């Protein structure tokens, strides 16, 4: 199962990431299957809590949220609660709890009760079963119209605080990946006095006030990654723009060796260029995909890419994940909007996508322009960047990858500039098209994150974790790449 669900996936297939396991105590599988209703946890297991469907009406209808509880392994070292969220929106947490616990250092599992809360619409929590049923019957329109206002980020942040209160803690620590960084920042804005520490890993930007703004900016990010993946060769990028322009005009691209490519195949090529690196072994610049794509762009020979594409399509047939992820993604993304666009603005926005990137703009428009089109449900707008800037004063740790394909690096910079007391960790270097870094085999980031969670008051400077290639010995032994920690001066506050 994927550790976390990614934001802004180009194709409908969800990806996952691997990790180097740390030595720790892992519970028996039964503890991940047992459910205890309404108890205050004393043992490891899945628990539920009744919370208001509408937190503005605390005495009204109640719904159930589910979470996995893993007790700190040392009572004498216990610090408090550590909440996890793996992104999406639409990703659960309980399903990924066991793998995550395996990967955490002993100092974290000793010091924290670990909380894996399934947000509304996921796992066993409120509305998840209704979404699965309506998706099977293709009748989700009425459900979305009625229930969307109670499924946005604000509602989940309020659920988190209800659970904090239920567990009898004054403050929480938090680690959120991808969309989980939005949830973490919104919780911290709504409950600033209840945050002990918060790690926002692969951060979303707080400055875009609707889904379209994020998607348009992501197209620019993907072109930047494609430029890196094409070894910064201007001629290759120009040739790719030319090919994309041809298929965008509903014509096939004909290579010199006779192979023809339609829009779907070229869109797959674009997705290959921004697909995450295999961080343990495969060098993109030595991969078959790189060789085939550059052969098409340098020599106009399409056979190798045709063969790779044909094999890819065969392998992917029937593998598309059947889940409620796309429904929850749409509900949360549109419910959260601060400045929603009209249907006319959404439909006529393609030029803005293309201005952001002539290569990726058209593809981004296809995948994201319909997300909030014809939206009828009431919204629950999240806090603005100004609200976050004004209300969060605690030290927050922000992590961003220079070539993150799912949350752009400039989004992490946006979050860092917005939260004036934050520290920014940048991931850069060899084979660094990655997403989600803490406790994922990135030793430099793991050390900083652990240090921060154990003592958030200790000053950590803005730092770059720079990845270097494996040497011959490491390659033979299949060990992870080395990481170098480079400290930088703090960016000026807004």
């Amino acid at each position: 199962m994927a550790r976390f669900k990614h934001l802004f996936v180009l194709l409908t297939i969800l990806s996952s990431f691997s990790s180097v396991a740390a030595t720790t105590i892992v519970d028996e599988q039964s503890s991940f299957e047992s459910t205890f209703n309404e108890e205050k946890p004393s043992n490891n297991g899945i628990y539920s809590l009744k919370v208001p469907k509408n937190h503005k009406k605390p005495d009204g209808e109640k719904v159930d949220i589910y979470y996995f509880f893993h007790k700190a392994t040392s009572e004498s070292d216990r610090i408090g609660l550590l909440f996890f969220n793996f992104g999406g929106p639409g990703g659960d947490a309980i399903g990924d709890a066991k793998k995550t616990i395996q990967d955490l250092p002993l100092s974290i599992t000793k010091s924290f009760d670990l909380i894996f809360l399934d947000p509304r619409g996921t796992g066993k929590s409120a509305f998840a079963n209704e979404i699965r049923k309506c998706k099977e019957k293709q009748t989700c329109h009425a459900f979305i119209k009625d229930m969307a206002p109670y499924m946005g980020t604000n509602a989940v942040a309020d659920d988190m605080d209800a659970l904090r209160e239920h567990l009898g803690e004054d403050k929480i620590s938090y680690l959120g990946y991808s969309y989980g960084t939005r949830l973490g920042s919104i919780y911290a804005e709504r409950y600033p006095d209840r945050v002990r520490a918060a790690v926002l890993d692969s951060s979303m930007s707080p400055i875009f006030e609707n889904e379209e703004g994020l998607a348009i900016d992501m197209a620019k990010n993907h072109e930047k990654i494609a430029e890196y993946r094409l070894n910064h060769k201007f001629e290759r990028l120009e040739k790719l723009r030319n090919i994309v322009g041809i298929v965008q005009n509903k014509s096939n691209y004909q290579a010199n060796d006779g192979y023809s490519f339609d829009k779907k195949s070229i869109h797959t090529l674009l997705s290959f260029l921004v697909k995450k690196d295999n961080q343990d072994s495969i060098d993109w610049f030595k991969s078959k995909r790189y060789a085939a794509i550059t052969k098409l762009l340098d020599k106009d020979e399409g056979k190798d890419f045709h063969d790779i594409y044909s094999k890819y399509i065969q392998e992917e047939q029937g593998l598309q994940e059947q889940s409620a992820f796309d429904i929850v993604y749409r509900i949360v993304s549109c419910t959260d909007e601060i400045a929603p666009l009209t249907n006319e603005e959404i439909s006529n926005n393609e030029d803005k996508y293309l201005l952001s990137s002539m290569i990726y703009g058209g593809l981004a428009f296809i995948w994201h322009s319909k997300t909030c089109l014809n939206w009828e449900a009431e919204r629950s707008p999240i806090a603005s960047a100004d609200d976050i800037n004004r209300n969060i004063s605690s030290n927050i740790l922000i992590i961003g990858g220079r070539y993150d394909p799912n949350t752009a690096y400039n989004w992490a910079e946006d979050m860092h500039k917005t939260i004036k007391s934050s520290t920014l960790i940048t991931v850069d270097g060899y084979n660094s098209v990655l997403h989600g870094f803490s406790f994922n085999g990135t030793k430099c980031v793991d050390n900083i994150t652990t240090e921060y969670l154990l003592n958030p008051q200790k000053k950590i400077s803005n730092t770059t974790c720079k990845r270097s290639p494996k040497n011959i010995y490491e390659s033979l032994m299949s060990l992870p790449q080395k990481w170098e920690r480079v400290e930088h001066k703090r960016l000026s506050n807004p």
Side-chain angles (χ1 to χ4, degrees):
M1 179 178 288
R3 168 80 73 82
F4 53 81
K5 282 49 174 195
H6 299 314
L7 182 73
F8 292 110
V9 182
L10 280 174
L11 302 177
T12 56
I13 301 163
L14 304 181
S15 52
S16 63
F17 65 80
S18 60
S19 181
V20 178
T23 304
T24 187
I25 299 172
V26 182
D27 306 292
E28 296 297 324
Q29 181 64 32
S30 60
S31 66
F32 286 83
E33 297 171 348
S34 304
T35 300
F36 310 93
N37 291 320
E38 289 300 309
E39 298 179 22
K40 189 172 181 179
S42 56
N43 299 310
N44 300 341
I46 298 173
Y47 294 78
S48 67
L49 177 68
K50 289 193 178 298
V51 296
K53 182 176 84 170
N54 181 354
H55 282 277
K56 293 179 181 178
K57 298 179 180 180
D59 296 327
E61 181 183 348
K62 299 293 193 294
V63 295
D64 292 312
I65 56 171
Y66 285 78
Y67 62 100
F68 182 79
F69 174 88
H70 183 276
K71 188 175 179 62
T73 58
S74 171
E75 189 61 38
S76 61
D77 292 312
R78 184 184 180 278
I79 292 173
L81 303 174
L82 176 56
F83 278 69
F84 289 82
N85 182 278
F86 300 118
D92 67 342
I94 292 175
D96 299 322
K98 184 175 184 179
K99 180 69 171 78
T100 302
I101 295 168
Q102 287 177 328
D103 294 344
L104 294 174
L106 280 170
S107 57
I108 296 297
T109 55
K110 284 170 55 178
S111 302
F112 293 98
D113 293 339
L114 309 177
I115 308 296
F116 301 85
L117 170 65
D118 280 351
R120 299 178 180 212
T122 73
K124 294 178 66 178
S125 286
F127 310 121
N129 193 45
E130 292 89 335
I131 290 175
R132 283 189 285 269
K133 288 180 178 179
C134 77
K135 183 170 183 180
E136 288 174 5
K137 299 177 181 178
Q138 297 184 335
T139 57
C140 288
H141 178 80
F143 171 85
I144 292 173
K145 188 174 181 180
D146 292 340
M147 298 302 170
Y150 314 117
M151 291 182 61
T153 299
N154 290 332
V156 179
D158 291 341
D159 289 344
M160 285 174 54
D161 201 62
L163 181 53
R164 173 204 59 78
E165 185 176 8
H166 174 70
L167 297 175
E169 296 285 337
D170 292 332
K171 295 186 177 185
I172 69 167
S173 297
Y174 178 84
L175 174 51
Y177 300 88
S178 198
Y179 160 77
T181 66
R182 171 183 282 183
L183 177 60
S185 66
I186 294 305
Y187 180 85
E189 190 277 332
R190 292 171 80 83
Y191 303 102
D193 296 332
R194 296 171 191 170
V195 176
R196 173 189 169 274
V199 181
L200 308 183
D201 188 325
S202 302
S203 184
M204 287 184 70
S205 172
I207 70 172
F208 296 102
E209 298 189 331
N210 52 54
E211 168 75 3
E212 295 286 289
L214 286 162
I216 289 168
D217 196 63
M218 179 53 67
K220 183 192 304 180
N221 179 59
H222 282 158
E223 181 163 329
K224 181 181 73 173
I225 295 171
E227 182 180 0
Y228 164 71
R229 280 286 185 72
L230 295 174
N231 212 12
H232 300 284
K233 301 281 183 148
F234 176 78
E235 296 81 3
R236 288 175 178 171
L237 212 61
E238 283 298 295
K239 180 63 175 287
L240 185 57
R241 286 193 184 100
N242 178 52
I243 293 173
V244 170
I246 290 171
V247 298
Q248 282 293 115
N249 290 324
K250 301 181 180 179
S251 300
N252 284 7
Y253 178 76
Q254 188 86 19
N256 276 344
D257 56 357
Y259 286 88
S260 180
F261 301 100
D262 59 11
K263 182 184 288 189
K264 182 180 178 181
S265 60
I266 296 303
H267 282 177
T268 302
L269 183 154
L270 295 181
S271 73
F272 287 167
L273 284 172
V274 297
K275 185 176 175 61
K276 291 189 302 142
D277 286 316
N278 181 321
Q279 58 180 354
D280 293 327
S281 58
I282 297 174
D283 180 349
W284 162 259
F285 296 103
K286 296 178 182 177
S287 69
K288 292 181 179 179
R289 287 183 179 180
Y290 174 75
I293 291 171
T294 53
K295 193 171 184 179
L296 174 63
L297 299 178
D298 293 344
K299 300 180 179 180
D300 205 32
E301 295 178 8
K303 180 182 183 304
D304 290 353
F305 178 69
H306 173 270
D307 292 346
I308 286 176
Y309 172 70
S310 299
K311 183 179 180 181
Y312 170 80
I313 292 299
Q314 291 174 0
E315 291 174 347
E316 296 301 331
Q317 284 180 349
L319 294 182
Q320 183 171 323
E321 184 173 340
Q322 297 299 314
S323 72
F325 180 92
D326 54 341
I327 302 293
V328 180
Y329 179 95
R330 180 171 187 245
I331 289 173
V332 177
S333 297
C334 302
T335 298
D336 284 357
E337 288 191 320
I338 300 169
L341 302 180
T342 66
N343 285 340
E344 184 178 4
E345 288 173 323
I346 293 172
S347 300
N348 295 326
N349 242 358
E350 186 170 12
D351 285 348
K352 291 184 179 180
Y353 283 86
L354 295 175
L355 282 172
S356 179
S357 169
M358 290 299 294
I359 295 176
Y360 282 91
L363 181 57
F365 180 75
I366 290 171
W367 282 107
H368 293 285
S369 64
K370 295 182 176 61
T371 302
C372 298
L373 190 67
N374 300 318
W375 186 256
E376 297 179 0
E378 180 184 345
R379 287 179 163 87
S380 177
I382 58 172
S384 68
D386 287 342
D387 294 329
I388 291 171
N389 178 273
R390 182 169 52 251
N391 293 329
I392 299 178
S393 58
S394 55
N395 181 29
I396 305 292
L397 185 65
I398 297 168
I399 302 169
R402 186 77 67 183
Y403 297 109
D404 187 329
N406 300 104
T407 51
Y409 177 68
N410 60 282
W411 295 2
E413 292 181 310
D414 291 342
M415 187 70 83
H416 175 47
K417 292 174 184 177
T418 300
I419 301 177
K420 51 186 175 291
S421 55
S422 65
T423 298
L424 176 63
I425 308 302
T426 300
V427 180
D428 197 1
Y430 179 83
N431 258 27
S432 58
V433 180
L434 300 170
H435 178 68
F437 303 98
S438 300
F439 308 123
N440 182 27
T442 309
K443 186 176 180 180
C444 171
V445 178
D446 292 352
N447 290 342
I448 294 170
T449 304
T450 301
E451 179 183 346
Y452 166 78
L453 286 172
L454 294 177
N455 185 8
Q457 302 309 316
K458 182 179 178 181
K459 180 175 174 57
I460 299 175
S461 298
N462 294 331
T463 300
T464 293
C465 288
K466 197 167 183 64
R467 193 173 201 188
S468 59
K470 293 181 182 180
N471 60 38
I472 295 175
Y473 175 77
E474 287 176 313
S475 297
L476 290 173
M477 299 300 292
S478 297
L479 296 175
Q481 282 89 345
K482 293 181 178 179
W483 292 83
E484 177 186 2
R485 180 169 170 173
V486 183
E487 293 191 355
H488 302 280
K489 294 181 180 179
R490 178 180 291 272
L491 295 177
S492 59
N493 291 329

